[in-house]
Amino acid sequence: MTTDIMPVLERIASALERLAPATASLDGLDSADAFIWQPQRGRLSPVRTVSHVALKLLQGVDSQKQLLLNNTAHFAAGLPANNAMLWGSRGTGKSSLVKACHAEINATLPPDQHLILIEIEREDLGTLPDLMDLLRTSSRRFIVFCDDLSFEREDADYKALKSVLDGGIAGRPENVLFYATSNRRHLMPRDMIENERATAINPSEATEEKVSLSDRFGLWLGFHVCAQDVYFDMVRAYAKERKLAISDEDLCARANEWAVTRGNRSGRVAAQFMDDLTASLKSGSQ
């Protein structure tokens, strides 16, 4: 009987080992400048090549560009720096600016001093305290980045983020900054804010905790749909960088037509247009 049950017990033990949370590790930290946090596996997955746009190609966001670049440079130099929230319309360059500043600053630093960019998925925000504890043990400097951040009703993950931004008892690690992008200024839908205020016993406090979360970012940068002349500057910058043989008049006419068909002008629309135009010109199907 004892002999018969041993294989069963071994399979159960093996299954329990697989279900047990992985021990978090910073192994391989020198293998890349960017990683994706995978809390289920307790590891940082390296991103060998970050998809980013050169900082000089980001047009129409000069003030936002300079503020975030300065903030990132201060952090890289070991000076005080702020967590940053980039909010505004879709496709206006928020996440592109974060990645561009990361690349721009690293280009000025020796490899062993490069800032490490760590992307965390929205659904993994509850594990932020665990990630912070892990990064606290390293001598490197990190920017933890969450793209398209927002919260819905009954969403408790904002508490984990609030703890990180406030610092809690342990304090935010000196070697970590948190950058986030969002389409919402206050990180939650306006109709939810109004509804909770209307039904609360104390309306002034009903949503204060969630709404004030955005106030805990020291640096706030707003992004908006660009004007036509800025949109044209964007496509001109791309055309110059790619050395496209096309007149300015034809370039702007095509860019305008592309924007009209999409009902929008933004950095994303400009990049999509230029990819299509580049392919057309180089394939001879213009």
Side-chain angles (χ1 to χ4, degrees), residues 36-65:
I36 296 176
W37 169 234
Q38 297 181 323
Q40 297 80 7
R41 302 175 64 183
R43 65 188 291 265
L44 295 170
S45 178
V47 178
R48 305 298 181 187
T49 304
V50 178
S51 175
H52 75 277
V53 176
L55 191 66
K56 64 181 180 180
L57 294 179
L58 297 177
Q59 303 291 316
V61 289
D62 291 345
S63 62
Q64 299 95 320
K65 185 191 304 185

Side-chain angles (χ1 to χ4, degrees), residues 165-181:
L165 297 179
D166 283 347
I169 295 176
R172 173 171 63 82
E174 181 274 336
N175 63 330
V176 180
L177 272 189
F178 187 83
Y179 283 0
T181 70

Side-chain angles (χ1 to χ4, degrees), residues 28 34 48 53 71 80 89-90 104 108-110 132 144 190 212 219 245 247 251 255 276:
R48 305 298 181 187
V53 176
N71 192 66
S89 304
R90 294 182 183 276
E104 186 80 5
T108 68
L109 300 172
M132 293 296 139
V144 176
R190 181 173 296 277
S212 65
L219 186 60
S247 69
L251 174 67
D276 181 80

Side-chain angles (χ1 to χ4, degrees), residues 172-240:
R172 173 171 63 82
E174 181 274 336
N175 63 330
V176 180
L177 272 189
F178 187 83
Y179 283 0
T181 70
S182 178
N183 299 318
R184 301 169 180 170
R185 184 175 183 181
H186 291 298
L187 303 181
M188 58 189 295
R190 181 173 296 277
D191 59 347
M192 184 188 302
I193 295 174
E194 297 303 329
N195 182 63
E196 291 195 12
R197 283 175 175 165
T199 58
I201 296 176
N202 189 335
S204 65
E205 297 180 359
T207 57
E208 180 179 353
E209 186 173 29
K210 288 183 180 178
V211 174
S212 65
L213 178 62
S214 57
D215 293 335
R216 289 176 165 81
F217 288 90
L219 186 60
W220 256 36
L221 302 175
F223 292 71
H224 310 282
V225 175
C226 63
Q228 187 179 67
D229 59 336
V230 174
Y231 173 66
F232 287 160
D233 285 343
M234 292 176 182
V235 298
R236 287 180 181 122
Y238 278 116
K240 181 178 180 180

Side-chain angles (χ1 to χ4, degrees), residues 12-253:
I12 292 174
S14 178
L16 290 175
E17 288 179 0
R18 290 195 299 271
L19 292 173
T23 302
S25 169
L26 288 177
D27 291 343
L29 201 59
D30 295 329
S31 65
D33 286 341
F35 296 81
I36 296 176
W37 169 234
Q38 297 181 323
Q40 297 80 7
R41 302 175 64 183
R43 65 188 291 265
L44 295 170
S45 178
V47 178
R48 305 298 181 187
T49 304
V50 178
S51 175
H52 75 277
V53 176
L55 191 66
K56 64 181 180 180
L57 294 179
L58 297 177
Q59 303 291 316
V61 289
D62 291 345
S63 62
Q64 299 95 320
K65 185 191 304 185
Q66 196 59 56
L67 286 169
L68 191 66
L69 186 63
N70 288 346
N71 192 66
T72 309
H74 292 161
F75 177 64
L79 300 171
N82 282 304
N83 298 310
M85 165 60 70
L86 291 71
W87 68 274
S89 304
R90 294 182 183 276
T92 49
K94 301 183 295 294
S95 61
S96 294
L97 181 55
V98 171
K99 291 181 287 187
C101 284
H102 171 252
E104 186 80 5
I105 295 301
N106 277 354
T108 68
L109 300 172
D112 63 342
Q113 294 180 25
H114 279 188
L115 294 178
I116 296 177
L117 183 67
I118 299 177
E119 184 171 14
I120 182 171
E121 298 294 337
R122 162 67 190 80
E123 56 268 24
D124 292 329
L125 281 178
T127 67
L128 255 180
D130 296 332
L131 177 58
M132 293 296 139
D133 286 343
L134 182 64
L135 300 183
R136 192 189 303 272
T137 65
S138 174
S139 60
R140 301 292 297 272
R141 303 185 75 76
F142 304 89
I143 296 176
V144 176
F145 173 50
C146 183
D147 195 21
D148 200 17
L149 177 63
S150 63
F151 298 101
E152 307 297 337
R153 188 185 302 277
E154 306 303 329
D155 192 339
D157 285 342
Y158 75 90
K159 293 182 179 179
L161 178 55
K162 178 176 178 291
S163 175
V164 168
L165 297 179
D166 283 347
I169 295 176
R172 173 171 63 82
E174 181 274 336
N175 63 330
V176 180
L177 272 189
F178 187 83
Y179 283 0
T181 70
S182 178
N183 299 318
R184 301 169 180 170
R185 184 175 183 181
H186 291 298
L187 303 181
M188 58 189 295
R190 181 173 296 277
D191 59 347
M192 184 188 302
I193 295 174
E194 297 303 329
N195 182 63
E196 291 195 12
R197 283 175 175 165
T199 58
I201 296 176
N202 189 335
S204 65
E205 297 180 359
T207 57
E208 180 179 353
E209 186 173 29
K210 288 183 180 178
V211 174
S212 65
L213 178 62
S214 57
D215 293 335
R216 289 176 165 81
F217 288 90
L219 186 60
W220 256 36
L221 302 175
F223 292 71
H224 310 282
V225 175
C226 63
Q228 187 179 67
D229 59 336
V230 174
Y231 173 66
F232 287 160
D233 285 343
M234 292 176 182
V235 298
R236 287 180 181 122
Y238 278 116
K240 181 178 180 180
E241 186 217 16
R242 301 182 185 189
K243 298 179 173 60
L244 298 184
I246 184 172
S247 69
D248 186 71
E249 182 179 2
D250 191 17
L251 174 67
C252 293

